[in-house]
Amino acid sequence: MNKKLSIIFLFLSLMIGAQKPTLFLIGDSTMSNKDNLEKNPEHGWGQVLPQFFTSGIEIQNHAMNGRSSKSFRTEGRWDKVEKQLKKGDFVIIQFGHNDQKLKDSTKFTNPYTQYRANLERYVNETRAKGATPILMTSITRRNFNENGVLVDTHKEYPLVVRLVADAMKVPFVDMQLLTEQMEISAGPEKSKQLHLHFKAGENPYYTKDKADDTHLSRLGAETVAKLAVNALKTLNTGLEKHIK
């Protein structure tokens, strides 16, 4: 009987060991999957991420439009991720855009208290499952002033991500810095191609003028995803072996 149990245990262990790791993405609309991809010009950078990874890892994009570090949890979205987490998985955590919403009590968080505590909790709960958390700052908005200077809109939130990453020794990608460099390199005019700028009738998806400097076009999403992937390669988390 003991021999049979040993064989069953070995078989189960091999089965578990053969499971692919999963990369989970949690965040907001800049990362999320968009509907109607064939016609919709808007893409989340997490949506195009799978093309940069091998078949040896599964990617689940749980990012959702309009969510903050607070509402993502209160709506039960984190619970769905946490229940699936297993040893060897990875979780990219990127919030901030919607944590700033002072007029929405379901989303707003004070950067130095609630926001920081939320990030720390995501990190701790990920680690408790044997998975690896990866913190990212928000991608920057295309916000050039009349002098062609890119002006930050996220204020204290990216700083808090950096502080948490440093204090808790969490793998960290400064997407704010990388996307600032991207926007500045493109300049005030060409950077519009990275976002959603259309005159009425120019794209059949939009019946009115569109000037969205937060969300990404397909070109913008792929460019941002490449920046993220190149940074992830340097972290030595084990995720890099699954990158093409």
Side-chain angles (χ1 to χ4, degrees):
M1 188 62 161
N2 288 338
K3 187 176 181 181
K4 286 183 179 179
L5 286 174
S6 297
I7 292 171
I8 291 170
F9 180 76
L10 178 60
F11 177 75
L12 290 173
S13 297
L14 289 171
M15 287 292 290
I16 293 169
Q19 280 187 303
K20 286 183 183 181
T22 301
L23 170 60
F24 294 91
L25 309 180
I26 66 171
D28 55 45
S29 57
T30 59
M31 179 192 271
S32 68
N33 294 338
K34 312 300 176 184
D35 295 329
N36 199 9
L37 272 188
E38 295 303 314
K39 296 181 180 179
N40 189 354
E42 183 180 346
H43 290 62
W45 73 262
Q47 187 167 25
V48 301
L49 197 63
Q51 66 187 284
F52 301 103
F53 282 80
T54 69
S55 59
I57 190 167
E58 179 186 350
I59 298 179
Q60 289 191 26
N61 188 1
H62 289 260
M64 185 59 61
N65 293 14
R67 271 56 184 188
S68 71
S69 67
K70 179 181 180 180
S71 63
F72 192 85
R73 181 183 290 276
T74 57
E75 292 178 2
R77 298 179 185 280
W78 171 245
D79 188 53
K80 291 178 182 178
V81 173
E82 188 181 16
K83 283 179 177 176
Q84 297 182 69
L85 279 178
K86 63 185 184 298
K87 185 176 181 181
D89 286 345
F90 304 87
V91 182
I92 291 178
I93 305 159
Q94 186 188 60
F95 292 103
H97 278 104
N98 299 300
D99 286 80
Q100 293 183 291
K101 293 186 174 179
L102 279 165
K103 295 182 180 180
D104 191 338
S105 63
T106 67
K107 297 175 183 178
F108 176 76
T109 60
N110 181 308
Y112 292 114
T113 54
Q114 296 176 66
Y115 179 65
R116 177 164 186 157
N118 288 346
L119 295 182
E120 290 171 345
R121 190 174 172 191
Y122 284 125
V123 167
N124 284 328
E125 290 174 353
T126 298
R127 285 174 167 170
K129 289 295 190 82
T132 300
I134 299 169
L135 284 170
M136 290 188 174
T137 47
S138 297
I139 66 171
T140 195
R141 291 185 174 95
R142 179 191 167 276
N143 185 42
F144 289 95
N145 67 14
E146 64 277 8
N147 300 311
V149 174
L150 186 70
V151 180
D152 173 57
T153 64
H154 288 124
K155 299 181 180 179
E156 303 96 332
Y157 291 88
L159 172 61
V160 173
V161 182
R162 296 181 185 99
L163 292 173
V164 172
D166 183 61
M168 300 184 75
K169 308 302 180 191
V170 183
F172 169 69
V173 177
D174 196 344
M175 291 302 292
Q176 183 194 32
L177 172 62
L178 295 175
T179 53
E180 279 182 359
Q181 293 170 338
M182 173 190 76
E183 301 281 0
I184 292 167
S185 178
E189 194 57 37
K190 286 187 176 180
S191 60
K192 291 179 181 178
Q193 297 173 21
L194 301 170
H195 297 276
L196 305 171
H197 280 256
F198 301 97
K199 295 294 183 184
E202 185 180 349
N203 187 293
Y205 204 78
Y206 300 116
T207 57
K208 299 178 180 179
D209 287 357
K210 182 78 171 177
D212 182 340
D213 293 317
T214 297
H215 300 101
L216 301 166
S217 64
R218 184 177 186 89
L219 173 63
E222 289 183 343
T223 304
V224 171
K226 286 177 186 176
L227 293 173
V229 166
N230 286 336
L232 290 168
K233 285 180 181 177
T234 69
L235 295 183
N236 296 318
T237 60
L239 183 59
E240 64 276 0
K241 69 183 180 183
H242 300 292
I243 297 173
K244 288 180 182 177

